[in-house]
Amino acid sequence: MRMPRRGLVIQARTRWLLVGLALLFSLVLLMYLLECAPQTDGNGSLPGVVGESMGKEYYQALLQEQEEHYQNRATSLKRQIAQLKQELQEMSDKLKSLQEKKTPKVNGMSYQGTKEQTSNDLLEFLHSQIDKAEVSVGAKLPSEYGVIPFESFTSMKVFQLEMGLTRHPEEKPVRKDKRDELVEVIEAGLEVINNPDEEDGQDEDDGVGDRQLYSENDFIEGYYRTERDKGTQYELFYKKMDGMEYRHVTLFRPFGPLMKVKSETVDISRSIINVIVPLAGRTEAFAQFMQNFRDVCIHQDKRVHLTVVYFGQDGLSEVKSILESVARETDFHNYTLVSLNEEFNRGRGLDMGARAWEKGEVLMFFCDVDVYFTAEFLNSCRLNAEPGKKVFYPVVFSLYNPAIVYANQDIPPPVEQQLVHKKDSGFWRDFGFGMTCQYRTDFLTVGGFDLEVKGWGGEDVHLYRKYLHGELMVIRTPVPGLFHLWHEKHCADELTPEQYRMCIQSKAMNEASHSHLGMLVFREEIEAHLRKQAYRTNSEAVR
C-alpha cells in the first residue's frame, strides 16, 4: 500500500535532481564564458566600487564558492537517489516474494515467468493503476450520474449512500473485512504522517525531533471509494485536539493483476436435486407450486426429486390428490410425502425431509410453497454448491402485492407475466435466508436446524450462521431465476417478540414499493385535491 506513495516520492525527488543539475550546468557555462573573456589592463574594466578594488579574482572566488555549494547539493541528491533506488529494490523484492507465494499450481505445475519480468510487470501495473485512477485530478464525465460516490467513515461509524433494504444510513462496520480494512488504512495514514521522510516535500533536515506524533485518537474522518477496475482511494484527515491544523493523507490501494487459480470442468448432467417443501394447509398455493414444478422440473430438467413434509390432517387428502394427479399425467413418481400430525415448524419439516432421503449423498434445495423458480436456477443451484466446500444462499426477488402493483388494471396479469425485476414490482429479499442449496452431508455435519425454534422465522438464520462460523464457503448472491410470490401474511400472537418483529418487518416489506406505499398513505389528500379540481372545473363551466 505504501509502495505507490514511495514511487511518487521518487518522481518528486528526481525532478529536484534535474533542477539542480540544470543550475549546475548553467553555472559551469558562466564560468567558462568568464574564463574566455578578453583580458583588460588593471581593474578599470570592472564597474563599481567592488570591481575597482577586487577585480576579476573576486568574481572567480565567488563562482568557485557557488560551484562547490551546488556540487555538494548534487552529491546529496545523488545519495538520496541511491537510497530511494535501494528502497525501491527492497519493495520490489517483497512484491516478487509475494507474487511467488501466490502463484498457483495447477495439476502439480507452477506457472511462472522470469523473476525479473514478474517483478517489473507487477510494479508497472501498480503504478499504472494510480495513473489511471481518479486520485489527484478529476475525470471527464458525461453527467453528474457518472460520478463514483464516496462513503465516509469515522473510527466508529460508516455513512453509506447505498443502503438497500437492510443497511442503514449510519451503522457500525459489522463485517470483519470492512473493519480490518478501515483500521489498516487509518494506521497507514498515521505511519505516513509520523514518518516525514516518506512524505512529499519533506527535507532530510526537517525538524523531526520537534514533530508531534499522531495517534488513532487524532483521526477525525475519512472518505473512500472504489473504482472496480483500478482500486480504492482513501482520503484521511487527522487533527490534534489542541491544534487548528488538519493533516490530510491520500492513499490508494491498487488491485493486483489477474491470476489463474484453477480451471476445471463441472459435469452436472447426473446431479439430482431433492426439492424439500414444508407445508401446512394452503392447498391452492400448493397446486400453483406443482404447476411450476411440472413445467420446470418434470418437462425441462428431469433430474429432480420432490419431498413434501405435511403438517396436520386438514388438507392432507387434497395434497395427496394433487401429487397423484401429476404422477398419472406425467408419469412422474420421484416424490416422497412425509406426514407429521403436529403443529407446523419449518425447521423440523426441512430436517425431516433431509433425513427421509435414504440413497446416500444428494443436493437439497430448501424451498417454500410460494417460491417460483426456473430451470436456469436449478443449474445455478448445482454449480454453486459443492460437498465439503460450498453452500449456496441465493437472494430471492420478492414480488409485491399484485393488487397494489397492478391497481390500474381490472385484474392482475398471470403469475408468469409478473416475474419481472422492477423497482415497483418487487425487491431483493436480502434479509431472507430460507431458500438454500446444500448437500445432505454438509447439512447433517453442521447440525441441521435448531429445532427449538418454534413458529415463524429464525430457523434459517441460525443455520446460515452455522455455516458462516464453519469452514465451508458461503455463496451469497441475487439470482434472476428465483421469485417469492406475494401472499397474505399473518403474524400469530404466540410468536416471541423477536419473531413477531421479524414477521411484521417482512409483512411491511412485502406489500409495495416506497412510491406505491406513499400514494396509499396520502390517498385521502390526493382524493381531496381531485375533488377540489372537479369543483373548480364545474364552477368555471357554470360561469
Side-chain angles (χ1 to χ4, degrees), residues 32 54 73 125 130 159-160 183 200 216 226 251 254 291 294 316 324 327-328 342 355 376 425 438 474-475 501 523 540:
Y32 174 76
M54 301 295 296
R73 179 60 177 168
F125 178 85
I130 299 178
F159 306 88
Q160 53 214 1
V183 170
D200 295 336
E216 293 181 358
T226 300
L251 301 176
Q291 182 62 45
R294 178 201 304 235
L316 179 60
E324 293 171 356
R328 287 194 307 269
E342 55 189 72
R355 299 180 187 278
E376 290 74 17
S425 63
Q438 50 193 261
V474 177
I475 308 298
R501 180 188 59 80
R523 180 172 55 186
E540 292 177 356

Side-chain angles (χ1 to χ4, degrees), residues 510-530:
N510 282 330
E511 281 304 306
S513 65
H514 189 178
S515 60
H516 278 153
L517 289 176
M519 296 297 289
L520 291 176
V521 169
F522 298 106
R523 180 172 55 186
E524 294 183 0
E525 184 175 339
I526 295 172
E527 292 176 351
H529 174 74
L530 293 176

